[in-house]
Amino acid sequence: MVRKKDHLRICLEDRVEFEKSTGFEDYEFEHRALPTTNLDEVDASTSLLGKDLKLPLFIGAMTGGTPRARDINRNLAESAQEVGIGMGLGSQRAMLEDPDLTSTYLVRDVAPDILLLGNIGAVQVSQYPVDRLREMITRVGADGLAVHLNPVQEMVQPEGDTDWRNVLPSLERLCRELEFPVVVKEVGCGISGEIAVKLESVGVSCIDVAGAGGTCFAKVEEHRGSDTAALFSEWGIPTAESLRQCAEVTRLPLIASGGLRSGLDCAKALAMGASVVSFALPLLRASMDSPHAVVRVLESFARQLKKTMLLVGASTLDELKRAVIRKVKE
């Protein structure tokens, strides 16, 4: 698909990130001057949706549907297997429309043990029967389905879907009839507390807040020639604020994504209520080299995270969630 190729090229070659920040710089941990933990014994393992993870990290959904996407997905999956974390596939709408593109999403042979999420757009949930989506998930060997909310992107795309009237009831039907867990994620504009409550009420298993501060799809579409995209290039809820709102109103597992660029960011997000943290753009760019390049980025985040945990007196993620973290800027 031309659109898929354009998205990849633009994300790899152009400036596509928000000018606004994630908001995590407004929060600070209370320093513990006398740690009592051995760094080598810091345990950052966790679980999500019934799968054990060696680290609370997740490779966010990125791509699929093109030959180049196949190589990227396999590099990402191989690195997830090596590090012991989860991964999301890019939107599988392409394989629904053209089954010959299914191979661009197949990664189980290189990542048999990872938490793997399939992916479909929210509007497509109202357009396809549940049986088709079940078959789509099963075909790639995924453990669950991520449904992405991307209204800003759809509004600025010339070919975008602008009828969202049936999305919420269709999502409720999907959660009721599908045997797999359903994760709902934004694509970079954040989820408010109000929307999180609605998502929980229809049976969603997990929410990825995907706030503003990382990749901005309005900017991606601006590079594709959209004449309205610039108007919405800074639209969205900063990631830290989106996470704060969602953590206050729901007990669902939360994934924090949207511009996290260090292990310190990860630690802050986990302390503020996230179950795991997710990355996309830094790993996409590393995946153009090799799986080992992706592993190096992930291991760097992991080292930074564990050092932060030691500095706040946390030897486990449960202890990190009890660490003192304060908003220092308004």
Side-chain angles (χ1 to χ4, degrees), residues 46-115:
T46 189
S47 63
L48 182 68
L49 302 176
K51 283 266 192 169
D52 291 334
L53 306 176
K54 293 180 181 179
L55 295 164
L57 310 180
F58 192 84
I59 298 176
M62 296 184 219
T63 191
T66 71
R68 192 180 197 186
R70 178 183 184 275
D71 295 336
I72 291 170
N73 278 331
R74 292 178 69 80
N75 282 351
L76 293 170
E78 188 174 331
S79 67
Q81 176 72 23
E82 181 172 342
V83 178
I85 62 173
M87 171 184 165
L89 296 170
S91 173
Q92 294 173 260
R93 181 180 181 180
M95 68 175 275
L96 287 175
E97 296 177 350
D98 182 357
D100 288 342
L101 297 175
T102 299
S103 63
T104 66
Y105 300 92
L106 297 179
V107 299
R108 271 303 187 198
D109 59 315
V110 296
D113 304 313
I114 68 170
L115 170 63

